[in-house]
Structures are given as C-alpha cells and as structure tokens.
C-alpha cells in the first residue's frame, strides 16, 4: 500500500468517509465510550463502525467483531484497545490497507525500555504496510466543519461547537480540551483540534501541513512538548508562511534551560530552551510565553511589521490610567517602550495631556471621543500598533469605548486590552477580528511575539551525527582556516627538536593531541615563552606534565604566537540532535556561565544576523567604543561567526568550538587562539 | 478640631452616619450623578445629603444649597466640584468641622506647577482645620457591609455585590472597578474598596490601618503606583502582620528599573523597582507580578512557610499531564523545582508512575482517586504545598476532581490550578477558601509570592536628606573605620614633601579632594609606585593633571598601600527619598552595569541577611571555592555589609559607597580600597 501523504492523508485524517472505533465501549464512565456519542451528536455524515469482539451492540448501534469483518475498508481507524494489543491491531489495519490509524493507548516510548521496544514494533508495523499512525497516546482529532469529533477527550461533550479558522495541534491530548474551552470563552472559533501524541509516524508538522489546502483554516496554534520532528515542523511552517497563515506556539521546557546551561568542549553549547527558541524563530513560528497569550495572540500575528523590539512604535490610548500603565509596564519589561504622540498629533486630540499614553479620562468615555482618538492615532503614521485600553465601560457600556474599536476591526494596526472582567466585550472584539486581551501580561506577550516573528528559512535538513571524533588543535585550525576563520600563527613541531621559524615571540607552547580535551588542566600549556631557545624546555615540561597527569604521550607541540586584544568571546557550532545545525556566540569564561550571556541561531547565518547576535550579547557593549574606549573589530567578528555557521554546509563537521576568539581594535581583525573541531565519525577523512 | 485618626477615622471613612454629596448631578451621563444612585440602591442606612447650589431636587430627593446649610455636620463629604473650587470647599468643610472629605477632582500635584501649588493649598487647608482628606483624584470608597457605595466609579452600577473579607486599596481609581469585577468572577468577595488617589493627606497605609479593628477584614490587596507614604505603609503592614492578615501588592514601575540602573558616585545605586521590591519585602508585603496573581493569590499567603525558593517543597498532583507540566515549568522559571514523591509515598499512590508530578491519568479521574492522592500527599510530610491540577473534568464534572479539593479546604497546604475554562469550579474553590488559579502563570506568581513573603521589621523612619555634602577620601575612611569597616593602610601627606612612613610598598598615590568625584578620569591617581623616593614625582603629576583637567588645586595626596585579592565588589548605602535607608552589594564594575548583578535591602541588615545578599549576587559564586579555586573571605564581606548598613543608625550620613571592596582569601579579611561618604548638609560637623 502507498503511504498516504498530502491530500490523501488530509482526506483520511480530516474528511474520512468512514471511521472504525475499535474497542468502543458501552460503559459511559470509560473514555472509549465517548467517540461514538460525540460523532452521533455532532452529526458526522460518514459511516461509523463500532468494533468490539465482546459485544454485539451499543444502544441501538450494531457492533462489529473486528476491522477485518467490516463491510468496507474504513478510511480511518480509532484504536482504543489496550497497549499490549496495539501492535497486532495496527498490523491488522495495515494488512487491510487502512490509510490512517489513530492510537489512543499510552505506554510506549515515554514509559521505559519495554515501551521503547513497543514503539519500535509499532513504527515497524506502520512502515511495513504503509499505514499512517497518529499517536500513540493520541486523544484523537476533531474537524468542526464535518462533525468529525473523533476523540476521547471529555471536553468535547459540550454542545454547540462553533466552526472557525483556528487549527490546533498539541502534543498533550488534554490541552486540546483546555484550548477549546478557553478559546470559546474568548471568542476564538476552531477548524480542527488534533491530539498529536507520541509521533511514532505522523509528526506535528505533517499533520498541520495536511490542512494547508483547506481554505477555511486561517492560522495555527501549537502546544509543543518537544521538537523531535523538527524537519517536518519547519517544512510546514515554511509552507504556512507562503500562504500568509500565522503560526503561534507555546513550548514547554523553559525552566530546564536555567539548569542545563553548560559551555564546554563537550558540545553542550547552550540550554535546551535556547535551541528551541532559535529553531522556532528560524521557522517563522511566533512563540507565546503565557497560556492566555497563546489563545489570544494568534490574530495579532501579521498585523505588525517584524522589527527589533526597541524600534517597535507602539501607542496606547485609554479610558483608564491604571490599566494603560499596566500594559505599558509589561511592554517595558519585555523591551518595548510605549511612545506618546508627536506635538502635531497631540493637537488633534483635544483634552489629552502630553505623555506616553493617550489618556481620554478627561475627554470623557464617549463613542465619539474614542472613535476620533483611534482615527487620529491610526492615521498619523507614527505607530506600528495602537493598543486601545478600555476600563469599566467595557463591561457595562460596550457601546461607548469597545464599539469604536469593533467598528475599526479592518484597521490591522489595532489591538485591545480590557481592564475589567468583560467576557462578552472580549469575545465580541475577537469575533470581529480585533486581537483582544484579558490581561496586561498576555497583551505584552502577544505584542512581543508579533514584532519578533521572523520569516521562515528553507534550510536543508542536516541529520544528527551518530558518533563524533575530535581533530587535534592543528587539524582543527586547518579546517577552520579553510572556511575563512583567521587563526593565530602557529607551527607544529617536535618536543625534543622544536623549530619555530617565522613565529613572532612570545609564544604559547601547547601539547598537541586529539585525545586531550582540557590541556590547560593537566599542565599541557606553557604561556609567555619569550625566546626560541626556551621552547624546548617548555615543550618538555608540557610532555612531562601531560604524561604524569593524563597518562598520554605527547610527541609534538603546537607553538603559537601570543596575541593581545580588547576582549575575548567564544564561538561554537554543533548539530543539535532535534533541530540541526546551530551557531553560538558567548561572552566567554565566567560571563557565559554566570550570566548566560550568549546568542544562538540556526546555522548558517548571514552577516546581518551575525551582527544581531553580537547585539544580543550584553558584554560586547564594552567593545563598541563607548565613553572614549577603543572600539573592537566587530565587523571581523561577525564575519567569523558567519564562517563558523557555514560549517552547516559541510557534512563532515559535527561540532566546532573556538574559545577564545580574540577581538582586536577595529580594522585589526579577530583571531582564533584555541579551537577544537569534531567530525562525524562515519566520515572521518 | 482634632484630626480624626484610629477609630474616629475608621468611623468617618467607613461607617459614617451621614454623608454629603457636594456637586451631585441629576445628569446621568455625569460621574457626579452616580454616588446618590449607588447609595440608594445599596441601601445605605445613614443620612445622605445631596448638595448643589444650582438645583433644588434630584428626582424626588431634596438637594441642599451648601454644606453650611445642612441640618447637621456630616461625618463624610464627597466633594465632586471642579478642581478650581476644591480648596474653598475643603476650607468650608474644615471650618464646619467635617472629619473626612473625599476629593474627586484631579488637576493637582500630577499636573504641573499650578497643580503642585493647588495641592499645597489643599494640604494647608486640611491641616489648618484638622479635616482629613481622601484624594484628590479619588473615585471614592465602598464598604460592602453597610451599603456605603460612596463612589463615582461606574463599575459599582452592578447589582448584587457580595460582602466578604478582602480589603482593596488602589492609587488608581479605575482599578477598584477592575478588581471588583475580576474578583467577583473568580469568587473573591470584598469588604472595602478604596480609591486612594493623590494622598495629599491620607496615605494608603493609614487608610488600610483604619480597618484593622474590623474583624470582617481578612486580608489586603494593594494596587500601588508609588511609595510616597512609605512610613505609613510600613506601620500598617507591621500591624496587619501582628493580626495575621496577609497583604498582597501589585506595584507599577517594573519596567523603568531596567532603564534607570546606574551605579556611580552620584548615589543612584540601583533601579527604582529594586528599591520598591526591597521595601515591600521588608514590610512583609507580598508582591504579585501578574494581574491574575494579585486577584487570586491573597488566600495562598500564610498557607506556606516562608523559605528560600530553592528550598520550597512543592508537589503537583494532576489529572492532566500537559496542564501540570505548564505549572511545573512556570515554577521552574521562577526558581521552584517541583518535587516528586519519595518511593515510600509513591507506593501509596497506586497507578502513579515515578516522576516529578503525581499523574493520575492512568488511575482515572474519579473522586476516590483524587481524594486518596490528596490525602497521601498532604499527609506524607514531604510537601510545604500541594498543587492540584485539574483538567477537562473541572468544567464538566467538578464532582470527580474539584470536589475532593473543596472537601479538603481546611488543609492549608493545598492550592489548585484549573486547566480548562471553568469559572464555576474556580469560584467554588475560592469561595471554599482554596487558593485557585486560572493560569499557570498566576499560580506560579502567587506561589513564589507566598514562599518569599517575609516578616515585617519595625524600622525607625529616617527622613530623606534635603541636601548632602561629600567628605574627602581620608575623612570617608575615618568615618567608615569608626563603624567597623576595614580600610587599606594609607597616609595623607603634602604633595611637595610626602611622608609615607609605615606604608608597605607598592602604593597608590591619589589626589585628595572632596570636590573631585571621579579622580581617575582626570589623572588624579597613580598606581604601582614602588619606592618611597618615587612618591613625590607621582604626587606632583597628580597635582598637575588635576589642575589641568579639573581646574582644582590639590595640596595633599592620599598614599595607600596596594593590595591584592580574589575579587572586588561594591558596597553602597543611601537614604532613598521615599522608603529610607538601603544597602546595596554589587558585583562591581562592568558586571553591575551590564548584568544588573546586585542585591539590595532596607538598612540595617543582620549577618544572616548580609549572607543572603551575597548569595543573590551571581558573580560571587567564583569566590565560593568551587572547582578547587581559593575561597574568598565571605564572612568578613558579610560583616562589612552589616557595618555599612548600620549607617542607618547614624543620622549624619546620607550616602556611602565603597568601590571596590577587595575580597581576600578566607581568613584574610576584606578591605576598602576607595570610598566616598556624603553627609546631610545640615549636620556637617
């Protein structure tokens, strides 16, 4: 059988003509009883086959003993059997040629060695027959337009589900229910909700991509627990951007970042969450950091230009001082300074005092006042986004200050924050298409996500290395130099008969061995050797020390001219097992470890991005020549970052770390003073 | 007339027998029409006198021409006249002996020089007659138990206001309406809501304190825009703590902190928000950083022990994996690591897999399952707080997983987060007394506030200095040494005939002048002078440079033995104009400015607090002797911080900054290498 992809997959997933509910129960306390009831109540027009070998009927519905005995091959099987029976059941579906099987059972890769084995068997069964599998641990999926409420999630018991444009995909099955109820309360209407589960076959990206040809879908909300199917997610995000559909994600795992920060030659260059942030940004996927921001923020994406937060021109007009101050404060914490109107614009706003916020309190909360203030602010050309903040009237008299916003819903540079509990007004704004927020935190969260959203890049997938092997320092320099990285002058020479012709002194004498990861720690480096005649003594002391402390025999040393500069940074590269090649710049030494002062991107990067990365490193401020200090050669540093990032174009390299890169005064370049490169083991030259 | 304080103030503010509404309007579009309607509808039992010279009646209510012509002196006048008429009206009330006047009009201190003058006149009128003034810019106040809806805030048009225990005080008048509606939606019931306004007389602390003898009040929510009446706030917070009543505050102004960080000899030691945080913590006022956290968090205070976040033992039990992960993630970002149960406890939780979260998904969402899991977790002695996370069932079947939580409302170490939109369940939990949260962010916010809440200290108020004058470096050392601060050996000597007897060389030679703030910048310091014979040359070069570059004549130099150590920090002290004496420790140099690596407390501090401050400075980690490094003398550094903080006991000192303090290896002490002290000008010796 052909594996269903593209429109065939979309049809079997979202528009099946027939579905089988294997393991359907008559016991209403069981989750496996729910899909049949949901499908009947939501009026699904396709054929539904309850399957259960142990009963003949459920209510007045006939029940079939097995999938094999059904009168037709169903388009989609929802498998609700126990974990142990799953692989055999998928085998059966596969043999019959069922295009898609959704697996409810858990107990696979997430639950220890037995589960991992089961997941491998499940994957093999699916692959063997070409059957596509959603799950395991999937609570199913819902298409609100055709009544396909094919889910065991109790949240869908609710009647009156409105159909809309928001597609939800979540690794967590319970979250599709939470997003449903919270979305509905806020006026968000959904097209599909998919519980993605354990992704044994169908990844979250491929699932979302299957809906791209559906014109009813206007945007995507993702609840992510991991980035294991990163390539599929990138392909989907790229295609979504091409169609102008926004994608907003909430990604678990922020807190681990703090704990796992580690910069060393081991290749653990940055925390997990840094990598996730870089990957999502590189895919053009906006990221919400609050639950409300996820639910409320989607419509704001694409309404603002993409620009650095410090350059975002955000105005606030308000009927309440305190409420506006909360939004301005939260935006300030996140890096956006609210800007007051120009003097010329202020003149068009009668009764408004100068200040960061256009406060209509004195002018009075009336339809005309808010309307004309909005028109002035939206028309003055001074704002990328105008946030209207509405106080108590939003709850009691939506006609006076909420209605003017609704009436300008077609103006894309407009959003709203309602200060009181005003669920009806909030839903009315959202339904009209105005991004509307119930807390200052979710408002600021979404605004930051909207301005910070990039365009996706169509990067070539680079598989993670299975194993790696280190080059020695000289080999590392040779490879890096061939990529355009300037390295300090050096020679490789014998310990007992060193030849340092051509080197400028003083020099550093370093043990040369690919097996020696931390040579300084074992006496493998002697610095400040001032004359050629002293090199042999230094080289022998290095050999003795490394032999005694690391048990390694050093035959050769690398002798390197010492250099001075204004500062040092670390530049690293590695292929992340999930998301692929990343490049990192860090402050170096204690600053990186103590202050997490670093910047990370998917590799390769261009020169403009490299400069952005340098801008993000706080300690690099000291190299900008402020207060009469000498300016560092940041042009050369950015060029080096680009060169290192382009290791992503070389399939032999798995990791590289240059630590330190010495930054000299502007015009005098940068230079690598130590480096280690690791190759993929399978391709070592 | 006697100024009303204590119980007299409480009576006139919250339990007046009669109120006059001056400027009451019959025009329902005007704010000044509202209080009369509100008071009548809420059934206020006292006498209400509408006062308006321009009309005889409003509806069927008689209207009085002036306060003077009323048949009695009202306990409380709500003044709704225009700004320009305010001072005269307060004069009139004062002459009559009205105990409290609430002023609605704005246009005072916040609105330019004319407003400042008006505010001074208003203050003088109040003081002259002993009348207490609430406002200006006060939207009034509400006591829910006696129907005193004495407010122009439109939010109180809503019928059916439930009476409860939460007292709200807000600088922003509109926020009392927002807190009211949001609180009601979440099951919070209020005792009083007060719009504090411009605090010309009554500060937020004194207003809250007036309710301390009211047994119906159970806790306080504060919405703060400034800390101008800090002493009153501290006095109130101290008294509230004595009665076991929690106080939770939201404070605007977080974002400015990032912008105004500046550490220098100017005395601007730290950002504004740092000072606010230190003050609130020192008063035992918990701080919420999210709007939902403010509304939902009050009941959690006092239910957890106060301890460092890293030591907080928080458990999570859940019916949904994704929802629990969000809470654990948010707690992790804020510094609390969720802890899984011990093996022994896990054995009592059938169907639960080992992990950080007690996940009941497999055990099933049933009343018995959640009940017994809660009993096990609350009874095992392993947790300071158990957070129950409830998924979809919270919305559809509260009896299965919400009810068991409600049934354990008396267990104080219990809180709940509901993942779906479940307003009824949320309100039911809150009404039962269980802290219940609608977002993972507000839950983590409140949990952090609860563990981080300290006990208030009864610090002596220290007035801000009007003006200050600097001591020179030698005078500064003398004063600091007298307080127990170790200073580097030094002598003061003539430029032309230096005498350095007794000093160890090398030395630093520094221009000595109280007028020279940044002596290094103008060539006023020569380092590394190795022999006594070189001091005169260095001293003359200092004199020449300072004369040429700063236009100052230097007659004497301070010659100081140079010292080496493991690291340097900055220790500072100043009297903040709002909150009083603060002490600061910072990483020093670029680390403080670039990374905001600092810790601030109200002064004085004890040794334990000084050690906590050192723990908060990330770069001090390098002085802890990890990885075989030499350990710094942190005992001596903490003692120095205590000594500097005790400048708060010396009314002559306005500011001090020691930069750097050199930290030597453990047992070898610390030493001040440069310092400047500023005295209050009025008390210079």
């Amino acid at each position: 059988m052909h594996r269903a992809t593209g429109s065939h997959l979309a049809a079997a997933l979202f528009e099946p003509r027939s579905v089988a509910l294997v393991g359907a129960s008559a016991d209403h306390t069981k989750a496996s009883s729910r899909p049949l009831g949901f499908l009947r109540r939501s009026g699904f027009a396709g054929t539904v086959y309850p399957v259960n070998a142990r009963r003949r009927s459920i209510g007045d519905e006939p029940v079939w003993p097995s999938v094999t005995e059904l009168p037709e091959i169903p388009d989609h099987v929802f498998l609700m059997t126990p974990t142990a029976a799953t692989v055999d059941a998928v085998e059966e579906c596969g043999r019959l040629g069922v295009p898609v099987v959704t697996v409810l059972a858990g107990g696979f890769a997430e639950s220890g060695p037995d589960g991992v084995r089961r997941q491998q068997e499940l994957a093999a069964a699916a692959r063997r027959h070409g059957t596509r599998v959603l799950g395991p641990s999937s609570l199913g999926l819902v298409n609100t337009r055709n009544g396909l409420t094919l889910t065991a999630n109790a949240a869908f018991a609710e009647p009156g589900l409105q159909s809309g444009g928001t597609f939800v995909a979540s690794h967590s099955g319970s979250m599709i229910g939470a997003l449903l109820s919270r979305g509905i309360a806020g006026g968000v209407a959904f097209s599909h909700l998919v519980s993605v589960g354990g992704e044994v076959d169908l990844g979250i990206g491929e699932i979302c991509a299957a809906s791209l040809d559906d014109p009813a879908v206007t945007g995507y909300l993702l609840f992510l627990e991991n980035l294991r199917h990163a390539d599929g997610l990138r392909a989907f995000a790229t295609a979504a951007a091409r169609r102008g559909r926004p994608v907003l994600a909430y990604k678990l795992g922020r807190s681990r970042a703090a704990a796992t920060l580690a910069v060393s030659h081991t290749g653990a260059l940055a925390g997990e969450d840094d990598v996730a942030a870089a990957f999502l940004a590189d895919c053009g996927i906006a990221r919400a950091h609050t639950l409300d921001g996820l639910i409320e923020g989607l419509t704001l994406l694409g309404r603002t230009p993409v620009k650095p937060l410090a350059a975002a021109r955000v105005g606030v007009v308000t009927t309440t001082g305190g409420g506006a101050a909360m939004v301005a404060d939260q935006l300030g914490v996140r890096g956006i300074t609210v800007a007051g109107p120009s003097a010329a614009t202020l003149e068009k706003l009668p009764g408004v005092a100068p200040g960061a916020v256009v406060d209509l309190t004195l002018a009075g909360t009336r339809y005309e006042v808010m309307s004309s203030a909005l028109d002035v602010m939206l028309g003055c050309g001074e704002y990328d986004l105008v946030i209207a903040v509405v106080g108590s009237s939003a709850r009691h008299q939506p006609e006076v200050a909420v209605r003017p916003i609704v009436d300008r819903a077609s103006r894309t540079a407009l959003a709203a924050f309602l200060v009181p509990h005003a669920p009806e007004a909030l839903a009315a704004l959202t339904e009209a298409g105005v991004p509307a927020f119930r807390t200052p935190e979710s408002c600021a969260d979404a605004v930051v996500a909207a301005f910070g959203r990039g365009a996706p890049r169509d990067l070539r997938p680079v598989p993670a290395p299975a194993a790696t092997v280190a080059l020695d320092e000289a080999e590392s320099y040779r490879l890096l130099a061939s990529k355009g990285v300037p390295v300090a002058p050096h020679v490789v020479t014998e310990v007992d008969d060193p030849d340092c012709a051509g080197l400028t002194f003083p020099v550093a004498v370093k043990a040369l061995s690919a097996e020696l990861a931390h040579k300084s720690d074992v006496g493998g480096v002697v610095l400040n050797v001032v004359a050629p005649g002293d090199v042999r003594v230094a080289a022998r002391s290095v050999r003795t020390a490394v032999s005694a402390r690391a048990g390694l025999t050093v035959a050769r040393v690398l002798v390197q001219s010492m250099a001075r500069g204004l500062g040092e940074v670390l530049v690293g590269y590695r292929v992340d097992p999930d998301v692929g090649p990343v490049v990192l710049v860090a402050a170096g030494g204690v600053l990186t470890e103590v202050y997490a002062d670093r910047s990370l991107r998917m590799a390769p990067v261009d020169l403009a991005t490299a400069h952005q990365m340098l801008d993000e490193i706080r300690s690099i401020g000291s190299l900008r020549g402020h207060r009469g200090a000498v300016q560092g050669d940041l042009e050369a540093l950015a060029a080096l970052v680009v060169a290192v990032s382009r290791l992503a174009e070389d399939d032999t390299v798995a990791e590289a770390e240059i630590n330190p890169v010495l930054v000299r005064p502007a015009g005098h370049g940068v230079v690598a003073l130590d480096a280690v490169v690791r190759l993929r083991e399978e391709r070592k030259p």
Side-chain angles (χ1 to χ4, degrees), chain A residues 43 126 132 148 160 356 411 480 530 637:
Chain A
R132 305 308 306 265
L148 181 73
R411 306 297 298 261
L480 290 168
V530 293
L637 180 56

Side-chain angles (χ1 to χ4, degrees), chain A residues 49-346:
Chain A
Y49 299 107
V51 176
N52 190 328
R54 283 177 306 191
R55 50 190 313 134
R56 308 295 301 269
S57 67
I58 293 174
D60 49 10
E61 303 252 6
V63 170
W64 303 79
S66 73
V67 177
T68 304
E69 288 164 81
L70 294 179
E72 62 176 319
I73 307 299
D75 282 349
H76 194 143
V77 168
F78 193 10
L79 207 58
M80 300 182 286
T81 46
T83 305
T86 302
V87 174
D88 287 346
V90 169
E91 276 284 352
E92 180 187 3
C93 291
R95 277 195 305 269
L96 292 169
V98 174
V100 170
V101 178
T102 293
V103 175
L104 175 65
F108 289 82
E110 77 286 5
S111 60
D114 282 356
V116 169
R117 189 183 36 74
R118 260 196 298 272
Q119 179 130 349
Q120 285 162 351
E121 292 169 6
L122 181 57
R127 236 186 345 258
R128 189 155 47 239
H129 298 291
T131 290
R132 305 308 306 265
V133 174
L134 176 64
S137 300
S138 168
L139 282 177
L141 64 93
V142 174
N143 177 349
T144 61
R145 274 168 316 131
N146 63 359
L148 181 73
T149 315
L150 188 64
T151 177
N153 187 313
F156 291 85
E158 209 146 353
L161 184 55
Q162 292 285 314
S163 196
T166 300
F167 187 108
V168 170
S170 170
H171 281 125
S172 156
S174 62
M175 286 307 296
I176 66 170
L179 292 171
L180 177 79
S181 62
R182 286 174 177 259
I184 288 172
V188 178
F190 299 95
S191 64
H192 307 74
L193 301 100
V194 184
S195 164
V196 168
E199 294 179 301
V200 66
D201 171 34
L202 285 169
I204 197 164
E206 190 175 4
I207 292 163
C208 292
S211 74
L212 281 167
D213 289 331
D214 184 339
V217 177
T218 55
Y220 295 83
L221 287 191
L222 310 182
F223 187 90
L224 304 175
E225 290 181 349
N226 64 68
L227 294 174
R228 278 200 290 266
H229 287 235
D231 292 336
L233 191 51
R234 178 185 290 277
F236 153 67
T238 306
R242 217 175 289 131
R243 285 168 167 83
R245 292 200 193 151
V247 185
L248 181 60
Y250 184 102
K251 164 81 177 59
L252 285 176
R254 286 180 70 202
S255 61
R256 260 171 302 175
T260 60
L261 172 67
V263 176
S264 70
H265 281 174
T266 62
L269 285 169
E272 244 181 73
D273 195 62
D274 272 18
V275 174
F279 171 76
L280 293 173
D282 204 74
C283 294
I285 297 175
R287 186 168 181 193
H289 290 99
T290 63
L291 180 55
D292 283 336
L294 176 69
I295 293 159
E296 300 168 347
L298 186 63
T299 50
L300 186 62
L301 303 185
R303 289 185 150 229
T304 70
V306 172
K307 50 162 76 177
L309 298 182
R313 303 177 309 161
V314 175
V316 172
V317 55
T318 187
T319 69
T320 158
M326 281 194 292
V327 169
D329 212 20
Q330 286 296 328
L331 285 170
V333 168
R334 304 281 302 263
I336 292 179
T337 305
V338 166
S342 67
T345 299
L346 194 62

Side-chain angles (χ1 to χ4, degrees), chain A residues 416-584:
Chain A
F417 161 53
L418 306 185
V419 190
H421 180 66
E424 292 82 7
L426 203 71
L429 283 162
T430 303
E431 282 159 14
V434 180
F437 301 95
R438 67 170 294 287
T439 68
E441 296 84 19
S442 65
C443 181
D445 189 26
V447 170
V448 167
F451 278 103
R453 187 172 75 116
R457 290 199 293 167
D458 204 356
L459 284 188
R460 185 176 70 99
V462 176
T468 66
V469 62
L471 298 183
D472 70 26
E473 187 176 346
E475 293 165 339
S476 297
Y477 285 146
R478 205 171 311 131
L479 188 146
L480 290 168
S482 76
K483 307 293 184 183
V485 173
V487 303
H490 62 273
V491 298
V492 173
T493 188
E494 302 298 316
V495 169
D496 287 317
D497 185 18
D499 173 5
C500 303
L503 282 189
T504 310
F505 278 70
V507 295
V509 176
K510 309 192 234 181
L512 186 66
S513 166
E515 294 163 74
L516 200 57
H518 300 282
K519 49 188 174 287
S520 300
D521 296 356
V522 293
V525 179
V526 174
L527 297 174
N528 278 315
V529 176
V530 293
D534 301 336
V535 171
R536 186 185 326 222
V537 174
R540 285 177 173 170
S541 106
V542 159
R543 179 174 61 190
T544 306
V546 171
S547 170
R549 294 166 66 182
L552 279 176
T553 304
V554 171
R556 296 180 307 158
V557 289
L558 186 143
V559 183
Q560 185 175 51
S561 292
M562 292 192 65
R564 288 186 154 207
L566 300 175
E568 296 181 348
V569 299
L570 176 160
V571 178
Y573 167 85
R574 74 176 157 101
V575 181
D576 179 86
D578 284 334
V579 307
V582 295
V583 61
L584 171 110

